[in-house]
Amino acid sequence: MNRKVLLILPYYYSLKDSLRSGFAAHNYNVASTSFYDQNNSLINKIDIKTTGFPFKFRKYWNDWLIGSTQQKYLNLNDSFKPDIVVIYNNEHVSPATIEKFRKKSKIVFILGDHPLMSKTDPYNLLILEQADCIVCPDSYWKDELELLGIKNIVLDFIGTNQDIFFPIINDKVNFLTDISFIGRTYRNADGYKRALYLSKFTKYKLMLYTHYDSYWNVWLKSFPKLEEHIQYLPTPLSSSEVNKIYNNSALAPIDSNSGLINGIHLRFFDILSAGCLPIIEYKSDYEKIFKGFELPLIKNYNDVESVVNKWLNDVDQRNKFVSELRNYTFQKYNPADFINRILSFLYG
């Protein structure tokens, strides 16, 4: 009889597809949900639109919305009866709900945000104390959580689902653009930092795919050349659309928000799997994980031009490097082997 796993994570992350394929490879039945899946579209719209409202208002709203969602989580858990519950960051799952899950299920957290810096939920650190396994993409996070006495932490990477992100040979003949970036802006210094990084690529054929946010107007005042490269998206891109964009690009910049200290960005694996070369804002874990590879790491934003010129102009060198890096990376960091490592950690 197949075992069961319940995934609680946002629907729009490629991570969900990777986890599904990884658990399926080990004969697990998979169900998935998210905080927003548990509430109707009107409630979700109100929640998003009132995010910046005063705490006095939001406290009562949060208490009601998050509180009522806990019973929905529990009902789903009771009906599906999973052996493992996997939660991305926190998805507003309360400590009391985790405690009830644990009576019949192993609890796995996969972290995408620094739990000490994230303000998404006041309990996003407390719930980690109940975890059977916590997967970190950043060695600094792991060290910091262990300093607090939190246990069962591993540094690991799922890679990506190569059935979703892969080279489309026929589409690679003529690139639609030299460089593509997919991502939103931020309403803090991280938004300025992202715009600053992307501004270093504007002398090239760059496409920036993003959702409209009024704060883009703020950052574009400092980096007006970015505006001609922006394509605002009316709806989120599907995974197949993302794959096509990377296939039709030679390079793809990767930056990190301020919460990623040493770690590897999940998007690195998607880009590489599609056959595109990531141009990566420097983080020390890349050098530790990919010893022997001279990755295109940006240690100073002023170095972008020299790095891009090196990899953009020599097509044969780039293709050879991407092929070798892909082979090395996905021999180890793939969903099936990632899940196998988690299962070994949970069950020995």
Side-chain angles (χ1 to χ4, degrees):
M1 183 176 178
N2 289 354
R3 289 194 161 200
K4 298 178 181 179
V5 60
L6 174 62
L7 309 179
I8 305 180
L9 76 170
Y11 74 91
Y12 49 83
Y13 281 18
S14 62
L15 176 63
K16 185 169 89 168
D17 294 321
S18 297
L19 287 169
R20 278 186 172 276
S21 68
F23 276 108
H26 293 275
N27 298 314
Y28 272 75
N29 290 330
V30 183
S32 63
T33 189
S34 71
F35 179 73
Y36 283 129
D37 284 339
Q38 293 301 313
N39 300 289
N40 65 48
S41 58
L42 177 60
I43 294 296
N44 291 336
K45 187 176 293 186
I46 293 172
D47 187 57
I48 293 170
K49 293 292 186 182
T50 60
T51 298
F53 277 33
F55 176 75
K56 182 178 180 180
F57 171 84
R58 283 292 302 190
K59 180 183 184 303
Y60 293 107
W61 173 262
N62 286 345
D63 288 349
W64 171 77
L65 180 58
I66 295 174
S68 63
T69 303
Q70 302 313 303
Q71 190 57 53
K72 297 174 184 177
Y73 279 145
L74 291 170
N75 291 342
L76 177 59
N77 189 69
D78 289 343
S79 62
F80 187 62
K81 297 180 173 58
D83 299 279
I84 302 172
V85 177
V86 178
I87 302 166
Y88 182 74
N89 286 333
N90 61 69
E91 281 301 284
H92 296 303
V93 183
S94 75
T97 299
I98 297 290
E99 187 174 352
K100 291 176 181 177
F101 282 172
R102 292 194 69 202
K103 292 179 179 179
K104 297 183 179 179
S105 307
K106 297 284 189 180
I107 306 298
V108 176
F109 285 95
I110 297 180
L111 299 183
D113 295 321
H114 192 315
L116 283 170
M117 295 180 69
S118 172
K119 297 179 175 60
T120 54
D121 192 285
Y123 301 115
N124 62 4
L125 189 62
L126 177 60
I127 56 178
L128 297 180
E129 295 177 355
Q130 300 189 68
D132 296 291
C133 180
I134 301 167
V135 183
C136 276
D138 188 314
S139 61
Y140 181 87
W141 300 2
K142 181 176 185 293
D143 292 343
E144 199 166 37
L145 292 173
E146 288 175 339
L147 177 66
L148 301 179
I150 295 175
K151 301 177 181 178
N152 302 323
I153 308 169
V154 296
L155 177 71
D156 207 344
F157 310 94
I158 194 172
T160 193
N161 186 341
Q162 292 190 277
D163 292 329
I164 295 174
F165 295 102
F166 56 89
I168 307 171
I169 304 302
N170 291 338
D171 283 7
K172 294 286 285 188
V173 177
N174 294 305
F175 292 137
L176 296 180
T177 188
D178 293 333
I179 304 168
S180 288
F181 180 86
I182 302 170
R184 63 189 180 93
T185 189
Y186 300 98
R187 297 188 170 201
N188 54 27
D190 278 326
Y192 177 86
K193 173 179 170 293
R194 170 163 286 181
L196 173 64
Y197 184 53
L198 294 174
S199 73
K200 303 299 182 179
F201 296 87
T202 54
K203 69 172 292 183
Y204 303 97
K205 196 176 177 184
L206 167 71
M207 285 298 300
L208 167 55
Y209 300 90
T210 188
H211 296 285
Y212 178 76
D213 185 295
S214 60
Y215 260 70
W216 271 120
N217 297 329
V218 177
W219 312 135
L220 290 174
K221 290 178 181 177
S222 298
F223 308 104
K225 290 184 179 180
L226 267 182
E227 189 163 14
E228 63 189 74
H229 298 274
I230 290 181
Q231 180 174 325
Y232 292 113
L233 303 170
T235 58
L237 293 168
S238 66
S239 295
S240 63
E241 289 171 326
V242 172
N243 187 52
K244 288 179 181 178
I245 287 172
Y246 289 141
N247 264 269
N248 285 298
S249 310
L251 310 174
I254 295 177
D255 67 338
S256 303
N257 65 45
S258 55
L260 197 67
I261 311 300
N262 297 334
I264 295 176
H265 200 294
L266 185 63
R267 186 66 80 182
F268 165 84
F269 297 99
D270 296 345
I271 293 168
L272 182 63
S273 187
C276 184
L277 180 63
I279 304 297
I280 312 157
E281 179 184 273
Y282 175 80
K283 300 293 176 183
S284 61
D285 285 342
Y286 284 99
E287 292 181 324
K288 296 174 184 176
I289 300 298
F290 299 101
K291 291 180 179 178
F293 285 91
E294 293 187 15
L295 296 177
L297 298 171
I298 304 298
K299 295 186 176 182
N300 184 312
Y301 282 10
N302 293 323
D303 295 338
V304 164
E305 184 174 345
S306 62
V307 173
V308 169
N309 287 343
K310 173 185 176 180
W311 292 103
L312 187 61
N313 296 330
D314 193 334
V315 178
D316 291 338
Q317 178 195 23
R318 186 178 70 246
N319 289 342
K320 182 175 183 292
F321 182 80
V322 168
S323 178
E324 292 174 351
L325 184 60
R326 286 181 84 251
N327 290 338
Y328 174 86
T329 300
F330 297 114
Q331 281 181 2
K332 180 175 182 179
Y333 298 114
N334 60 77
D337 288 339
F338 173 82
I339 296 304
N340 186 59
R341 290 192 291 272
I342 287 181
L343 295 177
S344 297
F345 189 91
L346 292 175
Y347 299 110

